[in-house]
Amino acid sequence: MNPSDGRRATVADLPATAGGGASLAAPDAVSAGLARWRDALYPRMRERPLPLVWTVDGLVPAATLWTGARAWTAWLRARGVAPGERLVCALPPGPGFVMVLVAALWEGLTFAPVPPGASLDAVREALGARVVVATAGEGVVAPTPAGTPPDTGTLPPTPTADPSPDVRFLLQTSGTTGARRWIALSDANVWAVLDSHAPAHPLDGAVILSVLPWHHAFGLVIELLPALLAGAELLRDPSGGRDVASMLRLAREHPVTHLDAVPHTLRLLAADDGGSGLLDRLQGGVVGGAPVDAALAARLARTRLRVGYGQTEASPGIALGDPGAWRAATLGRPLGCEVRLDDDGVLAFRGPNACLGEWRDGALVRLDAERWVRTGDLARAEPDGTYTYEGRVADAFKLANGRFVAAAAIEREVRARFPAVREALLSSPDGASLTLALTCDGDAPSAAMLAE
């Protein structure tokens, strides 16, 4: 089959062999999720120039990424790695990461990406992983400089936990509100977000300045997978969005059109003349990971960037904003799922994006697919159908008289209304009265002004 002839690739169209002689034909009984990954990846990557991944080591087009993925598939099959066995990937973002990811999706493995500096022994034990791919370490599979598998290498004959064939990804939560947890996402979970976000945030022809870590849900599902499926160009910034000069160097050398980032990266760019110009030229991008304050929201309102809100448990998409539609702490409009505000003001969601379960104590704990998932975020519904972040539920408290105090929302309002206020902390020392502590650059607002 010629992938450019417009006909949808099916399992029967797949090539019979890969590098090393391993068959890439589908098994007799293949899940709908596995078939969909294959149907999407094969025509998009085989013998194609796009998508491509650029790093400081060079540019790697889709055809080369595909060949590398075929080599990994052959390597895994030769060692008897079966669907549902867990593959831990601790590679840095780049061509090798993509090759291993595509091979894992093709083979129906459970893909668990972690940062290159992770404690691999602990991860291997926690997940009962059969394969650990990393640049170095004890008992790991180290790719060649080209990202392809080594010529040799052995693996344990069996995993240390039962296979998890319907878990496509195991992703760790950020841990900002407690201990890190392993979230299990199915094919249906991830495709629910890919399908709902693609029409609103198309990436056909995009040239993406890539700064997000791909081992996090935001970078993996909102940036990397959509870029691969759309045939976009991914330009990896060596600084990971931490150095303005590095990002601008890439933007001068390539016609960057999109940027997905956390607010901190955008503040760095906005404070630089060249970075501010880049923001104005962008055709799109998603901003997430933390609430945006009033000053940054005002700057982003002059761009085509949009807010994205979600959590790893939501695969990770819950809401998306319109381009240039910004206000402080906006979350955007629900997309691909239902949302509600519980009685205590916590935002909850329900839908196909709700994770399959969690990996705990060496096994998958499945959760009810129809459940409402409490995000732990306090929110406010707006007349235009969007939501505004009001803080974490842990940031709120009740007084002795039963009055509920949304401390984080009040602190944010004080900072927004009084530019001199740099930090605000609302507390109750006795459960009856409130104390507001301020750090100011200039004159502090008076008690009368605060009471208005």
Side-chain angles (χ1 to χ4, degrees), residues 336-340 348-354 369-373:
C337 63
E338 300 176 73
V339 303
R340 73 180 186 192
F349 72 93
R350 179 175 67 179
N353 58 336
E370 300 300 321
R371 71 194 185 281
W372 282 96
V373 183

Side-chain angles (χ1 to χ4, degrees), residues 2 59 68 70 120 138 250 259 266 289 368 397 414 428 452:
N2 181 353
L59 182 154
R70 290 170 64 195
L120 297 180
E138 185 71 25
L250 271 176
L259 171 65
L266 301 179
D368 181 6
F397 55 87
V414 169
S428 177
E452 291 181 357

Side-chain angles (χ1 to χ4, degrees), residues 63-201:
T64 303
L65 296 171
W66 176 256
T67 299
R70 290 170 64 195
W72 275 106
T73 299
W75 194 95
L76 293 165
R77 288 191 175 184
R79 286 152 183 81
V81 181
E85 294 188 326
R86 286 158 297 285
L87 183 152
V88 173
C89 182
L91 298 179
F97 186 102
V98 173
M99 293 174 189
V100 176
L101 168 64
V102 171
L105 292 174
W106 194 275
E107 291 296 280
L109 307 185
T110 298
F111 185 77
V114 297
S119 175
L120 297 180
D121 286 341
V123 173
R124 181 191 284 110
E125 181 178 356
L127 301 184
R130 178 81 185 279
V131 187
V132 178
V133 182
T135 55
E138 185 71 25
V140 307
V141 182
T144 68
T148 54
D151 293 332
T152 60
T154 59
L155 297 172
T158 58
T160 57
D162 291 338
S164 48
D166 56 347
V167 178
R168 194 59 54 235
F169 297 98
L170 282 171
L171 303 177
Q172 276 192 308
T173 59
S174 62
T176 54
T177 59
R180 291 177 179 269
R181 295 174 294 127
W182 286 100
I183 303 301
L185 304 181
S186 67
D187 293 316
N189 291 155
V190 173
W191 276 109
V193 174
L194 295 175
D195 287 339
S196 64
H197 282 56
H201 184 54

